[in-house]
Amino acid sequence: MGIELAVRPYQREFLTPLHTAHGLWRWREGLLVRLRNSLGRVGYGEVAPIPWFGRETVKDALAFCQAQGGEWRAETVPSTLPATQFGLECALAHLEIENSLVGMEPAIPSDGFANADLCGLLPAGNSALETARAQLAQGYRTLKWKMGVHPIADEIRWLWQLVKDCPRHTQLRLDANGGLNIGQAEQWLRACDDINASSAGAAIEYLEQPLPPVQVESMTALGRRYQTAIALDESVATLAQLEDCWNRGWRGVMVVKPAIAGSPQRLQTFCQTHHPRLVFSSAFETGIGRRAAIALARRCSPTPAPALGFGTLGYFADDWDTLTAADLWDRL
Ligand SMILES: [Mg+2]
């Protein structure tokens, strides 16, 4: 008998809807997959595409999984379904580990991170100032702020205040989600250069995805004219896009969300071959996807690793983050 494949869709509600450049995000939808072999051992995986980060939808992923007829036939998952590649490959890897560790503790490692190793998230607008105080008190040293939402003059003023409120070792990441035009991006980069040249508290680690995803060449040109680093995120949503940007000469920071990037094995091989400057980040997965993504980040990050973009616990109106994979599966 082969390996049984089961799939369960989930929906979970954000405690507070997230403001994104694409409107409010209220519900996180995805799939959990479970592989079970003839010995009854199981491996879990998660398929969690983000609608505006590519063309893959939960519906596509579900259709692919259901078309397998309840059995994992080790078919190649098409490259148009990178989140499905991630979920099924992780489930298979988990199953292989479980199979080799009969009678031992569960093989998926816990997070095992202090907040100092993680990047905390700040909401858009000036409420970031208050949230930053709370997060710094919890031990975060790297914070990410969503900008490009309010008038630019207001946001730059708030940024200066934020910088002054933070202790000196703090790193700030500014995320525009591709929402700026070139003039605005230059205004931000000038402000960031001024901040980094000043003796104010925090430093700007990078400006993330200032321009729309296709404008990589323009971002490369901006990167040459300003001191502040630029990171790509939406431009490198999948491993194929990341490889393409690399092949076209991008050597700056790239943000990787393993859950939507594609095959973990291929990503690991790419990292071992090229040593790109990657910052790993959450896609607001459940614990199943999160643990697999963090394990991959550990295998692929340079030393010392930049703060992991996984300061995303506590964002949902449920207790799922406290559950084991098996308990979460049983809930659905
Ligand atoms: Mg981003």
Side-chain angles (χ1 to χ4, degrees):
M1 207 185 103
I3 298 172
E4 175 199 290
L5 166 64
V7 51
R8 292 187 178 170
Y10 71 77
Q11 273 198 331
R12 58 192 312 213
E13 189 175 12
F14 283 102
L15 210 49
T16 308
L18 292 192
H19 284 273
T20 75
H22 309 269
L24 281 184
W25 198 11
R26 294 176 189 280
W27 292 86
R28 184 51 165 125
E29 295 182 314
L31 309 173
L32 298 186
V33 293
R34 189 189 67 185
L35 297 177
R36 183 159 62 184
N37 67 12
S38 55
L39 299 171
R41 311 254 150 64
V42 295
Y44 295 96
E46 176 170 358
V47 182
I50 301 177
W52 55 89
F53 258 86
R55 298 214 182 91
E56 182 180 11
T57 64
V58 175
K59 215 170 135 194
D60 299 333
L62 184 61
F64 176 83
C65 292
Q66 286 176 336
Q68 305 306 305
E71 195 181 346
W72 175 238
R73 289 173 285 184
E75 264 184 36
T76 308
V77 181
S79 61
T80 49
L81 302 176
T84 309
Q85 286 180 338
F86 173 82
L88 287 170
E89 215 178 284
C90 288
L92 200 58
H94 184 206
L95 176 63
E96 281 166 5
I97 294 170
E98 288 297 311
N99 217 21
S100 63
L101 292 176
V102 180
M104 294 174 68
E105 287 299 300
I108 293 187
S110 67
D111 287 359
F113 282 106
N115 286 344
D117 301 321
L118 300 174
C119 177
L121 280 183
L122 303 179
N126 64 350
S127 60
L129 296 168
E130 199 186 321
T131 308
R133 274 191 284 276
Q135 299 212 338
L136 291 166
Q138 290 166 26
Y140 287 96
R141 290 185 206 155
T142 305
L143 300 172
K144 176 157 121 172
W145 186 39
K146 293 271 176 199
M147 25 66 75
V149 177
H150 298 278
I152 192 164
D154 291 339
E155 288 191 334
I156 290 178
R157 199 176 70 246
W158 297 331
L159 176 61
W160 269 104
Q161 191 56 54
L162 179 60
V163 163
K164 287 174 186 161
D165 284 355
C166 290
R168 200 165 276 277
H169 53 72
T170 313
Q171 298 275 314
L172 296 178
R173 298 172 178 175
L174 306 182
D175 191 358
N177 288 118
L180 307 181
N181 60 37
I182 290 199
Q184 293 166 329
E186 294 201 83
Q187 215 176 324
W188 275 104
L189 287 163
R190 269 196 300 276
C192 293
D193 281 1
D194 288 347
I195 287 168
N196 285 344
S198 76
S199 53
I204 309 301
E205 186 180 359
Y206 54 69
L207 174 62
E208 184 172 321
Q209 194 73 41
L211 305 179
V214 294
Q215 295 182 25
V216 175
E217 255 114 69
S218 300
M219 288 185 274
T220 306
L222 282 176
R224 288 198 202 99
R225 295 193 6 239
Y226 295 90
Q227 300 295 314
T228 304
I230 293 174
L232 300 183
D233 182 8
E234 281 84 348
S235 295
V236 292
T238 66
L239 185 49
Q241 290 170 316
L242 192 147
E243 287 169 337
D244 183 50
C245 282
W246 180 266
N247 291 336
R248 285 156 55 195
W250 180 269
R251 294 295 180 270
V253 178
M254 296 187 278
V255 178
V256 176
K257 296 175 174 62
I260 61 169
S263 160
Q265 187 53 55
R266 196 170 131 202
L267 179 58
Q268 193 173 341
T269 304
F270 180 81
C271 290
Q272 285 163 350
T273 309
H274 299 294
H275 308 288
R277 293 169 63 194
L278 299 187
V279 170
F280 285 85
S281 182
S282 156
F284 290 98
E285 319 81 351
T286 72
I288 291 176
R290 175 186 174 86
R291 286 185 286 266
I294 287 177
L296 181 64
R298 277 179 159 148
R299 296 197 296 274
C300 294
S301 290
T303 317
L308 292 168
F310 282 86
T312 48
L313 291 177
Y315 272 77
F316 291 95
D318 56 45
D319 64 350
W320 291 9
D321 293 333
T322 65
L323 302 177
T324 64
D327 287 342
L328 177 54
W329 177 263
D330 289 339
R331 282 278 183 95
L332 300 178

